[in-house]
Amino acid sequence: MVDKAGASDGLAQEFVQFCVEAGALKFGEFKTKAGRMSPYFFNAGLFDDGAKLGRLAQYYAKALIASGIEFDMIFGPAYKGIPLGAAVAIELARLGRNVPFAYNRKEAKDHGEGGTLVGAPLKGRVLIVDDVMSAGTAARESIALIRAAGATPSAVAIALDRQEKATEVGADGQVRDVDHSAVQYVQQQLGLQVCAIARLSDLLQYLTAHTGGQWDEHRERVQAYRARYGVA
């Protein structure tokens, strides 16, 4: 089966296995930006050599092709999105789909060509490539940059959809859980398609297929986390 927004079940399971082997997906106790204690942690920065990064780009490209999402160029938001976007552009070109690539700087350059944007001019339908989407903040910033340049943000490609409730700060300054995830917010409120190589449900499927010892503990903790913070 191929999900309309991303990878097939088989590809997603291969990707989770790859993440575990590469050390980019770890199990234990990790504090998230939202202040939650998560039983797992995904860090795309640990795809830290040419072979791992190249293989990661292959998964992105396969998921994008399976999704049917149409785009004219790739944008990699600083910082993790820069090598990810570049690697995906290279892999797509290897597969015969050569598209322009651009990225942004966090700080504006005041010499040379100046500005915050580097690479190809932002035109047409722009695909944003990033690792995960925690609150949708990076996506909103990218969308603003793309629109300011006169282009159209059309989709976001991420490695892992955590499928958990986003948070927002209320008028009283308190942080509260909301009923939608960051991915759902980008899809429903911002109108962009989202392509994820794998989701939390795929991770649970992987853990269900591995039994005994620590695998059972990891599965139980991830299931409990999803029961508390997960979205449909």
Side-chain angles (χ1 to χ4, degrees), residues 15-216:
F15 178 66
V16 173
Q17 177 72 43
F18 166 56
C19 292
V20 172
E21 291 173 352
L25 180 58
K26 297 181 183 296
F27 300 98
E29 193 170 80
F30 309 93
K31 190 171 184 178
T32 69
K33 288 182 180 179
R36 300 168 183 162
M37 297 308 297
S38 173
Y40 72 98
F41 180 63
F42 176 76
N43 182 4
L46 294 177
F47 296 110
D48 53 7
D49 62 35
K52 292 175 189 174
L53 186 58
R55 191 171 171 195
L56 174 62
Q58 291 175 5
Y59 284 110
Y60 270 102
K62 289 177 180 178
L64 282 165
I65 291 168
S67 74
I69 290 173
E70 297 182 352
F71 56 94
D72 301 308
M73 70 174 296
I74 289 173
F75 177 76
Y79 289 102
K80 284 184 180 178
I82 297 175
L84 291 176
V88 173
I90 292 168
E91 177 61 18
L92 286 171
R94 191 185 70 81
L95 296 174
R97 176 83 164 89
N98 188 31
V99 294
F101 167 64
Y103 62 93
N104 69 303
R105 301 184 181 94
K106 286 286 190 180
E107 303 81 19
K109 185 178 177 183
D110 59 4
H111 60 280
E113 76 278 12
T116 59
L117 295 174
V118 184
L122 292 174
K123 293 180 181 178
R125 298 164 297 183
V126 181
L127 169 72
I128 302 164
V129 176
D130 214 341
D131 56 348
V132 294
M133 199 181 293
S134 300
T137 305
R140 288 195 294 271
E141 291 174 352
S142 297
I143 288 167
L145 280 169
I146 292 165
R147 286 180 174 157
T152 303
S154 62
V156 182
I158 56 174
L160 181 68
D161 177 0
R162 290 181 60 97
Q163 292 183 298
E164 67 181 74
K165 296 176 181 178
T167 57
E168 62 181 28
V169 180
D172 58 0
Q174 297 297 308
V175 177
R176 295 182 177 85
D177 293 343
V178 293
D179 291 333
H180 58 261
S181 70
V183 166
Q184 290 172 332
Y185 173 82
V186 168
Q187 290 172 320
Q188 298 166 9
Q189 303 299 318
L190 303 182
L192 274 67
Q193 299 178 83
V194 177
C195 173
I197 305 172
R199 298 184 171 93
L200 177 58
S201 55
D202 297 307
L203 172 56
L204 275 169
Q205 183 179 335
Y206 175 85
L207 291 173
T208 300
H210 291 71
T211 57
Q214 289 188 325
W215 290 113
D216 291 339

